[in-house]
Amino acid sequence: MHEAAPEGTAPSLAGKKIAILGDSHVAEIYQFGKQLEKDLTDLGAIVKRFGWGGSSANAWINKIPVAGKVRSIEEVKEGGPYDVSIICLGTNDSANYYRNFVETRGKIPTVTDLAPGANTIVSRIASISSQIGATYQVWVGPPSVTGKLEWYQPVAVQAVRAASSGFPGIYVDSTDIPSDADGVHVSAVTSKRWATKVVKKITDVVK
């Protein structure tokens, strides 16, 4: 919940153009992206949201079809220029890399085992952010998966978080956000808390 600006003053993000790009956390089926868009709009921002369920940073960069759909960075850039970009990727990236590791190496990996791939994932996310080219570039890290769904394992998300220093912009650590909807996605109640956390990070730095 965000308090309205005092009478006679402009909302804290008045007129700021913001792009939100991400996977199913941002797409229509789940609440987080919609909640984040609403909260930013309530603060006066002009928001464009680009959600693509099942997508990874690799899919966005190389225009790889996922679930019969393709979205592109160019599509996002057409709505710019932006004051703020918010990238919500990493969940599917970590699951894809974990699966590839298990299937090719035949063993359960540690965070150290996954470090090279995690660094690549973060570099891809940084590349997407750089291409969008907003003044303030934000990456919202993946929430805490439970391991309930195959390949979406905590160790893989931990590896991506451990590599987060490779993102040159503003990083929002989502370790305290549980995937309490199904082990990967976040419930409506938790989505509100997650959105509040992201908005606070943005309003603390955006001038």
Side-chain angles (χ1 to χ4, degrees), residues 121-158:
I121 289 167
V122 174
S123 293
R124 288 171 178 161
I125 292 170
S127 174
I128 293 170
S129 188
S130 176
Q131 289 180 62
I132 295 171
T135 304
Y136 297 92
Q137 300 180 19
V138 180
W139 171 34
V140 179
S144 292
V145 300
T146 65
K148 179 181 178 181
L149 297 184
E150 190 177 22
W151 311 126
Y152 289 86
Q153 297 300 315
V155 66
V157 170
Q158 290 162 12

PDB file of all heavy atoms in Angstrom, residues 121-158:
ATOM      1  N   ILE A 121      23.960 -16.290 -17.123  1.00  0.00           N
ATOM      2  CA  ILE A 121      22.573 -15.838 -16.991  1.00  0.00           C
ATOM      3  C   ILE A 121      22.528 -14.360 -16.609  1.00  0.00           C
ATOM      4  O   ILE A 121      21.791 -13.566 -17.207  1.00  0.00           O
ATOM      5  CB  ILE A 121      21.823 -16.697 -15.946  1.00  0.00           C
ATOM      6  CG1 ILE A 121      21.579 -18.095 -16.503  1.00  0.00           C
ATOM      7  CG2 ILE A 121      20.508 -16.030 -15.533  1.00  0.00           C
ATOM      8  CD1 ILE A 121      21.141 -19.104 -15.457  1.00  0.00           C
ATOM      9  N   VAL A 122      23.331 -13.979 -15.622  1.00  0.00           N
ATOM     10  CA  VAL A 122      23.336 -12.583 -15.169  1.00  0.00           C
ATOM     11  C   VAL A 122      23.852 -11.665 -16.284  1.00  0.00           C
ATOM     12  O   VAL A 122      23.338 -10.560 -16.480  1.00  0.00           O
ATOM     13  CB  VAL A 122      24.151 -12.429 -13.880  1.00  0.00           C
ATOM     14  CG1 VAL A 122      24.272 -10.964 -13.489  1.00  0.00           C
ATOM     15  CG2 VAL A 122      23.502 -13.210 -12.744  1.00  0.00           C
ATOM     16  N   SER A 123      24.844 -12.125 -17.017  1.00  0.00           N
ATOM     17  CA  SER A 123      25.366 -11.328 -18.145  1.00  0.00           C
ATOM     18  C   SER A 123      24.283 -11.097 -19.201  1.00  0.00           C
ATOM     19  O   SER A 123      24.188 -10.009 -19.785  1.00  0.00           O
ATOM     20  CB  SER A 123      26.564 -12.029 -18.782  1.00  0.00           C
ATOM     21  OG  SER A 123      27.660 -12.052 -17.906  1.00  0.00           O
ATOM     22  N   ARG A 124      23.460 -12.119 -19.441  1.00  0.00           N
ATOM     23  CA  ARG A 124      22.369 -11.975 -20.413  1.00  0.00           C
ATOM     24  C   ARG A 124      21.327 -10.976 -19.920  1.00  0.00           C
ATOM     25  O   ARG A 124      20.826 -10.147 -20.694  1.00  0.00           O
ATOM     26  CB  ARG A 124      21.720 -13.332 -20.678  1.00  0.00           C
ATOM     27  CG  ARG A 124      22.577 -14.271 -21.504  1.00  0.00           C
ATOM     28  CD  ARG A 124      21.966 -15.663 -21.548  1.00  0.00           C
ATOM     29  NE  ARG A 124      22.738 -16.570 -22.377  1.00  0.00           N
ATOM     30  CZ  ARG A 124      22.653 -17.905 -22.317  1.00  0.00           C
ATOM     31  NH1 ARG A 124      21.803 -18.471 -21.445  1.00  0.00           N
ATOM     32  NH2 ARG A 124      23.387 -18.667 -23.098  1.00  0.00           N
ATOM     33  N   ILE A 125      21.006 -11.058 -18.646  1.00  0.00           N
ATOM     34  CA  ILE A 125      20.038 -10.119 -18.075  1.00  0.00           C
ATOM     35  C   ILE A 125      20.583  -8.696 -18.158  1.00  0.00           C
ATOM     36  O   ILE A 125      19.863  -7.753 -18.504  1.00  0.00           O
ATOM     37  CB  ILE A 125      19.698 -10.514 -16.622  1.00  0.00           C
ATOM     38  CG1 ILE A 125      18.915 -11.843 -16.620  1.00  0.00           C
ATOM     39  CG2 ILE A 125      18.898  -9.410 -15.923  1.00  0.00           C
ATOM     40  CD1 ILE A 125      18.738 -12.461 -15.256  1.00  0.00           C
ATOM     41  N   ALA A 126      21.866  -8.541 -17.870  1.00  0.00           N
ATOM     42  CA  ALA A 126      22.507  -7.222 -17.979  1.00  0.00           C
ATOM     43  C   ALA A 126      22.477  -6.718 -19.414  1.00  0.00           C
ATOM     44  O   ALA A 126      22.287  -5.515 -19.672  1.00  0.00           O
ATOM     45  CB  ALA A 126      23.940  -7.293 -17.466  1.00  0.00           C
ATOM     46  N   SER A 127      22.645  -7.618 -20.371  1.00  0.00           N
ATOM     47  CA  SER A 127      22.612  -7.245 -21.790  1.00  0.00           C
ATOM     48  C   SER A 127      21.230  -6.735 -22.195  1.00  0.00           C
ATOM     49  O   SER A 127      21.108  -5.719 -22.892  1.00  0.00           O
ATOM     50  CB  SER A 127      23.003  -8.436 -22.668  1.00  0.00           C
ATOM     51  OG  SER A 127      22.852  -8.133 -24.036  1.00  0.00           O
ATOM     52  N   ILE A 128      20.180  -7.427 -21.752  1.00  0.00           N
ATOM     53  CA  ILE A 128      18.813  -6.985 -22.039  1.00  0.00           C
ATOM     54  C   ILE A 128      18.586  -5.594 -21.458  1.00  0.00           C
ATOM     55  O   ILE A 128      18.065  -4.687 -22.128  1.00  0.00           O
ATOM     56  CB  ILE A 128      17.793  -7.982 -21.472  1.00  0.00           C
ATOM     57  CG1 ILE A 128      17.872  -9.317 -22.209  1.00  0.00           C
ATOM     58  CG2 ILE A 128      16.370  -7.409 -21.554  1.00  0.00           C
ATOM     59  CD1 ILE A 128      17.078 -10.429 -21.556  1.00  0.00           C
ATOM     60  N   SER A 129      18.990  -5.416 -20.222  1.00  0.00           N
ATOM     61  CA  SER A 129      18.822  -4.131 -19.545  1.00  0.00           C
ATOM     62  C   SER A 129      19.560  -3.021 -20.284  1.00  0.00           C
ATOM     63  O   SER A 129      19.026  -1.928 -20.501  1.00  0.00           O
ATOM     64  CB  SER A 129      19.331  -4.241 -18.104  1.00  0.00           C
ATOM     65  OG  SER A 129      19.028  -3.086 -17.369  1.00  0.00           O
ATOM     66  N   SER A 130      20.785  -3.320 -20.707  1.00  0.00           N
ATOM     67  CA  SER A 130      21.595  -2.335 -21.427  1.00  0.00           C
ATOM     68  C   SER A 130      20.957  -1.963 -22.764  1.00  0.00           C
ATOM     69  O   SER A 130      20.962  -0.791 -23.170  1.00  0.00           O
ATOM     70  CB  SER A 130      22.999  -2.887 -21.652  1.00  0.00           C
ATOM     71  OG  SER A 130      23.784  -2.006 -22.416  1.00  0.00           O
ATOM     72  N   GLN A 131      20.400  -2.957 -23.442  1.00  0.00           N
ATOM     73  CA  GLN A 131      19.773  -2.689 -24.738  1.00  0.00           C
ATOM     74  C   GLN A 131      18.536  -1.796 -24.600  1.00  0.00           C
ATOM     75  O   GLN A 131      18.272  -0.956 -25.459  1.00  0.00           O
ATOM     76  CB  GLN A 131      19.399  -4.002 -25.422  1.00  0.00           C
ATOM     77  CG  GLN A 131      20.593  -4.797 -25.925  1.00  0.00           C
ATOM     78  CD  GLN A 131      20.167  -6.087 -26.595  1.00  0.00           C
ATOM     79  OE1 GLN A 131      19.470  -6.072 -27.604  1.00  0.00           O
ATOM     80  NE2 GLN A 131      20.581  -7.216 -26.041  1.00  0.00           N
ATOM     81  N   ILE A 132      17.786  -1.993 -23.532  1.00  0.00           N
ATOM     82  CA  ILE A 132      16.624  -1.129 -23.295  1.00  0.00           C
ATOM     83  C   ILE A 132      17.100   0.293 -22.996  1.00  0.00           C
ATOM     84  O   ILE A 132      16.494   1.270 -23.429  1.00  0.00           O
ATOM     85  CB  ILE A 132      15.757  -1.683 -22.160  1.00  0.00           C
ATOM     86  CG1 ILE A 132      15.164  -3.029 -22.573  1.00  0.00           C
ATOM     87  CG2 ILE A 132      14.639  -0.708 -21.789  1.00  0.00           C
ATOM     88  CD1 ILE A 132      14.472  -3.772 -21.457  1.00  0.00           C
ATOM     89  N   GLY A 133      18.192   0.394 -22.250  1.00  0.00           N
ATOM     90  CA  GLY A 133      18.884   1.662 -22.086  1.00  0.00           C
ATOM     91  C   GLY A 133      18.215   2.699 -21.202  1.00  0.00           C
ATOM     92  O   GLY A 133      18.383   3.903 -21.420  1.00  0.00           O
ATOM     93  N   ALA A 134      17.471   2.280 -20.196  1.00  0.00           N
ATOM     94  CA  ALA A 134      16.830   3.235 -19.292  1.00  0.00           C
ATOM     95  C   ALA A 134      17.867   3.941 -18.417  1.00  0.00           C
ATOM     96  O   ALA A 134      18.973   3.442 -18.202  1.00  0.00           O
ATOM     97  CB  ALA A 134      15.818   2.507 -18.406  1.00  0.00           C
ATOM     98  N   THR A 135      17.488   5.096 -17.904  1.00  0.00           N
ATOM     99  CA  THR A 135      18.375   5.840 -17.006  1.00  0.00           C
ATOM    100  C   THR A 135      18.667   5.032 -15.751  1.00  0.00           C
ATOM    101  O   THR A 135      19.821   4.957 -15.296  1.00  0.00           O
ATOM    102  CB  THR A 135      17.727   7.183 -16.629  1.00  0.00           C
ATOM    103  OG1 THR A 135      17.411   7.905 -17.824  1.00  0.00           O
ATOM    104  CG2 THR A 135      18.662   8.012 -15.762  1.00  0.00           C
ATOM    105  N   TYR A 136      17.637   4.431 -15.169  1.00  0.00           N
ATOM    106  CA  TYR A 136      17.780   3.566 -13.998  1.00  0.00           C
ATOM    107  C   TYR A 136      17.414   2.148 -14.420  1.00  0.00           C
ATOM    108  O   TYR A 136      16.301   1.915 -14.901  1.00  0.00           O
ATOM    109  CB  TYR A 136      16.858   4.015 -12.862  1.00  0.00           C
ATOM    110  CG  TYR A 136      17.168   5.394 -12.332  1.00  0.00           C
ATOM    111  CD1 TYR A 136      16.518   6.515 -12.855  1.00  0.00           C
ATOM    112  CD2 TYR A 136      18.095   5.584 -11.314  1.00  0.00           C
ATOM    113  CE1 TYR A 136      16.788   7.787 -12.376  1.00  0.00           C
ATOM    114  CE2 TYR A 136      18.370   6.859 -10.820  1.00  0.00           C
ATOM    115  CZ  TYR A 136      17.721   7.952 -11.355  1.00  0.00           C
ATOM    116  OH  TYR A 136      17.983   9.207 -10.882  1.00  0.00           O
ATOM    117  N   GLN A 137      18.339   1.214 -14.237  1.00  0.00           N
ATOM    118  CA  GLN A 137      18.147  -0.166 -14.683  1.00  0.00           C
ATOM    119  C   GLN A 137      18.067  -1.094 -13.467  1.00  0.00           C
ATOM    120  O   GLN A 137      19.006  -1.170 -12.673  1.00  0.00           O
ATOM    121  CB  GLN A 137      19.285  -0.573 -15.613  1.00  0.00           C
ATOM    122  CG  GLN A 137      19.354   0.318 -16.851  1.00  0.00           C
ATOM    123  CD  GLN A 137      20.469  -0.034 -17.802  1.00  0.00           C
ATOM    124  OE1 GLN A 137      21.002  -1.138 -17.772  1.00  0.00           O
ATOM    125  NE2 GLN A 137      20.838   0.908 -18.662  1.00  0.00           N
ATOM    126  N   VAL A 138      16.937  -1.770 -13.341  1.00  0.00           N
ATOM    127  CA  VAL A 138      16.641  -2.598 -12.172  1.00  0.00           C
ATOM    128  C   VAL A 138      16.475  -4.054 -12.590  1.00  0.00           C
ATOM    129  O   VAL A 138      15.798  -4.345 -13.581  1.00  0.00           O
ATOM    130  CB  VAL A 138      15.339  -2.107 -11.478  1.00  0.00           C
ATOM    131  CG1 VAL A 138      15.027  -2.964 -10.252  1.00  0.00           C
ATOM    132  CG2 VAL A 138      15.443  -0.632 -11.116  1.00  0.00           C
ATOM    133  N   TRP A 139      17.076  -4.942 -11.834  1.00  0.00           N
ATOM    134  CA  TRP A 139      16.825  -6.379 -12.002  1.00  0.00           C
ATOM    135  C   TRP A 139      16.214  -6.912 -10.718  1.00  0.00           C
ATOM    136  O   TRP A 139      16.810  -6.792  -9.648  1.00  0.00           O
ATOM    137  CB  TRP A 139      18.119  -7.137 -12.322  1.00  0.00           C
ATOM    138  CG  TRP A 139      17.976  -8.645 -12.287  1.00  0.00           C
ATOM    139  CD1 TRP A 139      16.877  -9.374 -12.638  1.00  0.00           C
ATOM    140  CD2 TRP A 139      18.951  -9.591 -11.853  1.00  0.00           C
ATOM    141  NE1 TRP A 139      17.104 -10.724 -12.458  1.00  0.00           N
ATOM    142  CE2 TRP A 139      18.384 -10.879 -11.981  1.00  0.00           C
ATOM    143  CE3 TRP A 139      20.262  -9.476 -11.376  1.00  0.00           C
ATOM    144  CZ2 TRP A 139      19.074 -12.043 -11.636  1.00  0.00           C
ATOM    145  CZ3 TRP A 139      20.951 -10.629 -11.036  1.00  0.00           C
ATOM    146  CH2 TRP A 139      20.353 -11.894 -11.172  1.00  0.00           C
ATOM    147  N   VAL A 140      15.020  -7.480 -10.827  1.00  0.00           N
ATOM    148  CA  VAL A 140      14.356  -8.127  -9.701  1.00  0.00           C
ATOM    149  C   VAL A 140      14.717  -9.608  -9.756  1.00  0.00           C
ATOM    150  O   VAL A 140      14.297 -10.329 -10.665  1.00  0.00           O
ATOM    151  CB  VAL A 140      12.827  -7.934  -9.763  1.00  0.00           C
ATOM    152  CG1 VAL A 140      12.155  -8.650  -8.590  1.00  0.00           C
ATOM    153  CG2 VAL A 140      12.480  -6.450  -9.768  1.00  0.00           C
ATOM    154  N   GLY A 141      15.495 -10.067  -8.799  1.00  0.00           N
ATOM    155  CA  GLY A 141      15.925 -11.459  -8.775  1.00  0.00           C
ATOM    156  C   GLY A 141      14.772 -12.413  -8.531  1.00  0.00           C
ATOM    157  O   GLY A 141      13.694 -12.015  -8.075  1.00  0.00           O
ATOM    158  N   PRO A 142      14.972 -13.684  -8.847  1.00  0.00           N
ATOM    159  CA  PRO A 142      13.889 -14.673  -8.706  1.00  0.00           C
ATOM    160  C   PRO A 142      13.506 -14.918  -7.256  1.00  0.00           C
ATOM    161  O   PRO A 142      14.350 -14.823  -6.357  1.00  0.00           O
ATOM    162  CB  PRO A 142      14.478 -15.932  -9.348  1.00  0.00           C
ATOM    163  CG  PRO A 142      15.962 -15.755  -9.259  1.00  0.00           C
ATOM    164  CD  PRO A 142      16.212 -14.289  -9.377  1.00  0.00           C
ATOM    165  N   PRO A 143      12.229 -15.249  -7.022  1.00  0.00           N
ATOM    166  CA  PRO A 143      11.791 -15.595  -5.666  1.00  0.00           C
ATOM    167  C   PRO A 143      12.331 -16.962  -5.266  1.00  0.00           C
ATOM    168  O   PRO A 143      12.964 -17.659  -6.060  1.00  0.00           O
ATOM    169  CB  PRO A 143      10.266 -15.613  -5.804  1.00  0.00           C
ATOM    170  CG  PRO A 143      10.038 -16.021  -7.228  1.00  0.00           C
ATOM    171  CD  PRO A 143      11.151 -15.380  -8.006  1.00  0.00           C
ATOM    172  N   SER A 144      12.081 -17.322  -4.016  1.00  0.00           N
ATOM    173  CA  SER A 144      12.610 -18.581  -3.482  1.00  0.00           C
ATOM    174  C   SER A 144      11.734 -19.762  -3.884  1.00  0.00           C
ATOM    175  O   SER A 144      10.672 -19.996  -3.290  1.00  0.00           O
ATOM    176  CB  SER A 144      12.724 -18.497  -1.961  1.00  0.00           C
ATOM    177  OG  SER A 144      13.730 -17.580  -1.602  1.00  0.00           O
ATOM    178  N   VAL A 145      12.172 -20.494  -4.895  1.00  0.00           N
ATOM    179  CA  VAL A 145      11.441 -21.689  -5.328  1.00  0.00           C
ATOM    180  C   VAL A 145      11.589 -22.780  -4.277  1.00  0.00           C
ATOM    181  O   VAL A 145      12.534 -22.771  -3.482  1.00  0.00           O
ATOM    182  CB  VAL A 145      11.929 -22.181  -6.700  1.00  0.00           C
ATOM    183  CG1 VAL A 145      11.735 -21.104  -7.758  1.00  0.00           C
ATOM    184  CG2 VAL A 145      13.394 -22.617  -6.646  1.00  0.00           C
ATOM    185  N   THR A 146      10.666 -23.731  -4.285  1.00  0.00           N
ATOM    186  CA  THR A 146      10.654 -24.763  -3.244  1.00  0.00           C
ATOM    187  C   THR A 146      11.263 -26.091  -3.678  1.00  0.00           C
ATOM    188  O   THR A 146      11.566 -26.936  -2.841  1.00  0.00           O
ATOM    189  CB  THR A 146       9.211 -25.040  -2.793  1.00  0.00           C
ATOM    190  OG1 THR A 146       8.482 -25.604  -3.893  1.00  0.00           O
ATOM    191  CG2 THR A 146       8.525 -23.766  -2.325  1.00  0.00           C
ATOM    192  N   GLY A 147      11.392 -26.289  -4.991  1.00  0.00           N
ATOM    193  CA  GLY A 147      11.836 -27.587  -5.483  1.00  0.00           C
ATOM    194  C   GLY A 147      10.685 -28.538  -5.742  1.00  0.00           C
ATOM    195  O   GLY A 147      10.892 -29.684  -6.149  1.00  0.00           O
ATOM    196  N   LYS A 148       9.461 -28.060  -5.522  1.00  0.00           N
ATOM    197  CA  LYS A 148       8.275 -28.900  -5.734  1.00  0.00           C
ATOM    198  C   LYS A 148       8.124 -29.297  -7.195  1.00  0.00           C
ATOM    199  O   LYS A 148       7.728 -30.419  -7.513  1.00  0.00           O
ATOM    200  CB  LYS A 148       7.035 -28.143  -5.244  1.00  0.00           C
ATOM    201  CG  LYS A 148       5.729 -28.889  -5.436  1.00  0.00           C
ATOM    202  CD  LYS A 148       4.560 -28.042  -4.930  1.00  0.00           C
ATOM    203  CE  LYS A 148       3.223 -28.737  -5.154  1.00  0.00           C
ATOM    204  NZ  LYS A 148       2.087 -27.908  -4.687  1.00  0.00           N
ATOM    205  N   LEU A 149       8.404 -28.350  -8.102  1.00  0.00           N
ATOM    206  CA  LEU A 149       8.320 -28.633  -9.525  1.00  0.00           C
ATOM    207  C   LEU A 149       9.698 -29.012 -10.054  1.00  0.00           C
ATOM    208  O   LEU A 149      10.695 -28.354  -9.752  1.00  0.00           O
ATOM    209  CB  LEU A 149       7.785 -27.422 -10.294  1.00  0.00           C
ATOM    210  CG  LEU A 149       6.363 -26.977  -9.951  1.00  0.00           C
ATOM    211  CD1 LEU A 149       5.926 -25.839 -10.856  1.00  0.00           C
ATOM    212  CD2 LEU A 149       5.375 -28.137 -10.062  1.00  0.00           C
ATOM    213  N   GLU A 150       9.738 -30.064 -10.864  1.00  0.00           N
ATOM    214  CA  GLU A 150      11.005 -30.575 -11.368  1.00  0.00           C
ATOM    215  C   GLU A 150      11.801 -29.496 -12.079  1.00  0.00           C
ATOM    216  O   GLU A 150      11.254 -28.690 -12.817  1.00  0.00           O
ATOM    217  CB  GLU A 150      10.750 -31.740 -12.325  1.00  0.00           C
ATOM    218  CG  GLU A 150      12.022 -32.489 -12.706  1.00  0.00           C
ATOM    219  CD  GLU A 150      11.751 -33.690 -13.593  1.00  0.00           C
ATOM    220  OE1 GLU A 150      10.681 -33.708 -14.237  1.00  0.00           O
ATOM    221  OE2 GLU A 150      12.589 -34.592 -13.651  1.00  0.00           O
ATOM    222  N   TRP A 151      13.096 -29.486 -11.805  1.00  0.00           N
ATOM    223  CA  TRP A 151      14.097 -28.568 -12.376  1.00  0.00           C
ATOM    224  C   TRP A 151      14.124 -27.203 -11.688  1.00  0.00           C
ATOM    225  O   TRP A 151      15.149 -26.518 -11.746  1.00  0.00           O
ATOM    226  CB  TRP A 151      13.931 -28.382 -13.895  1.00  0.00           C
ATOM    227  CG  TRP A 151      13.793 -29.666 -14.658  1.00  0.00           C
ATOM    228  CD1 TRP A 151      12.791 -30.001 -15.514  1.00  0.00           C
ATOM    229  CD2 TRP A 151      14.673 -30.807 -14.638  1.00  0.00           C
ATOM    230  NE1 TRP A 151      12.979 -31.258 -16.032  1.00  0.00           N
ATOM    231  CE2 TRP A 151      14.133 -31.780 -15.505  1.00  0.00           C
ATOM    232  CE3 TRP A 151      15.872 -31.106 -13.964  1.00  0.00           C
ATOM    233  CZ2 TRP A 151      14.734 -33.029 -15.727  1.00  0.00           C
ATOM    234  CZ3 TRP A 151      16.468 -32.344 -14.182  1.00  0.00           C
ATOM    235  CH2 TRP A 151      15.898 -33.282 -15.045  1.00  0.00           C
ATOM    236  N   TYR A 152      13.043 -26.806 -11.055  1.00  0.00           N
ATOM    237  CA  TYR A 152      13.033 -25.509 -10.356  1.00  0.00           C
ATOM    238  C   TYR A 152      13.538 -25.723  -8.930  1.00  0.00           C
ATOM    239  O   TYR A 152      12.758 -25.819  -7.976  1.00  0.00           O
ATOM    240  CB  TYR A 152      11.627 -24.910 -10.371  1.00  0.00           C
ATOM    241  CG  TYR A 152      11.207 -24.435 -11.741  1.00  0.00           C
ATOM    242  CD1 TYR A 152      10.631 -25.316 -12.659  1.00  0.00           C
ATOM    243  CD2 TYR A 152      11.412 -23.112 -12.126  1.00  0.00           C
ATOM    244  CE1 TYR A 152      10.261 -24.879 -13.929  1.00  0.00           C
ATOM    245  CE2 TYR A 152      11.045 -22.673 -13.396  1.00  0.00           C
ATOM    246  CZ  TYR A 152      10.474 -23.563 -14.284  1.00  0.00           C
ATOM    247  OH  TYR A 152      10.112 -23.139 -15.542  1.00  0.00           O
ATOM    248  N   GLN A 153      14.842 -25.790  -8.807  1.00  0.00           N
ATOM    249  CA  GLN A 153      15.469 -26.184  -7.550  1.00  0.00           C
ATOM    250  C   GLN A 153      16.143 -24.994  -6.851  1.00  0.00           C
ATOM    251  O   GLN A 153      16.763 -24.149  -7.507  1.00  0.00           O
ATOM    252  CB  GLN A 153      16.498 -27.274  -7.805  1.00  0.00           C
ATOM    253  CG  GLN A 153      15.900 -28.561  -8.363  1.00  0.00           C
ATOM    254  CD  GLN A 153      14.877 -29.173  -7.417  1.00  0.00           C
ATOM    255  OE1 GLN A 153      15.106 -29.272  -6.212  1.00  0.00           O
ATOM    256  NE2 GLN A 153      13.732 -29.581  -7.965  1.00  0.00           N
ATOM    257  N   PRO A 154      16.045 -24.935  -5.522  1.00  0.00           N
ATOM    258  CA  PRO A 154      16.636 -23.814  -4.773  1.00  0.00           C
ATOM    259  C   PRO A 154      18.110 -23.580  -5.068  1.00  0.00           C
ATOM    260  O   PRO A 154      18.550 -22.433  -5.136  1.00  0.00           O
ATOM    261  CB  PRO A 154      16.413 -24.226  -3.312  1.00  0.00           C
ATOM    262  CG  PRO A 154      15.180 -25.066  -3.344  1.00  0.00           C
ATOM    263  CD  PRO A 154      15.271 -25.842  -4.635  1.00  0.00           C
ATOM    264  N   VAL A 155      18.877 -24.648  -5.248  1.00  0.00           N
ATOM    265  CA  VAL A 155      20.315 -24.480  -5.471  1.00  0.00           C
ATOM    266  C   VAL A 155      20.597 -23.671  -6.733  1.00  0.00           C
ATOM    267  O   VAL A 155      21.559 -22.881  -6.787  1.00  0.00           O
ATOM    268  CB  VAL A 155      21.035 -25.854  -5.522  1.00  0.00           C
ATOM    269  CG1 VAL A 155      20.600 -26.667  -6.749  1.00  0.00           C
ATOM    270  CG2 VAL A 155      22.543 -25.680  -5.511  1.00  0.00           C
ATOM    271  N   ALA A 156      19.764 -23.827  -7.751  1.00  0.00           N
ATOM    272  CA  ALA A 156      19.971 -23.099  -9.003  1.00  0.00           C
ATOM    273  C   ALA A 156      19.668 -21.613  -8.835  1.00  0.00           C
ATOM    274  O   ALA A 156      20.391 -20.750  -9.358  1.00  0.00           O
ATOM    275  CB  ALA A 156      19.105 -23.695 -10.110  1.00  0.00           C
ATOM    276  N   VAL A 157      18.603 -21.309  -8.096  1.00  0.00           N
ATOM    277  CA  VAL A 157      18.274 -19.906  -7.818  1.00  0.00           C
ATOM    278  C   VAL A 157      19.355 -19.285  -6.939  1.00  0.00           C
ATOM    279  O   VAL A 157      19.762 -18.136  -7.136  1.00  0.00           O
ATOM    280  CB  VAL A 157      16.888 -19.795  -7.159  1.00  0.00           C
ATOM    281  CG1 VAL A 157      16.642 -18.386  -6.638  1.00  0.00           C
ATOM    282  CG2 VAL A 157      15.793 -20.176  -8.158  1.00  0.00           C
ATOM    283  N   GLN A 158      19.856 -20.055  -5.978  1.00  0.00           N
ATOM    284  CA  GLN A 158      20.933 -19.560  -5.111  1.00  0.00           C
ATOM    285  C   GLN A 158      22.173 -19.218  -5.927  1.00  0.00           C
ATOM    286  O   GLN A 158      22.869 -18.219  -5.652  1.00  0.00           O
ATOM    287  CB  GLN A 158      21.262 -20.597  -4.040  1.00  0.00           C
ATOM    288  CG  GLN A 158      20.178 -20.771  -2.989  1.00  0.00           C
ATOM    289  CD  GLN A 158      20.306 -22.070  -2.206  1.00  0.00           C
ATOM    290  OE1 GLN A 158      21.325 -22.747  -2.277  1.00  0.00           O
ATOM    291  NE2 GLN A 158      19.265 -22.417  -1.463  1.00  0.00           N
TER     292      GLN A 158
END
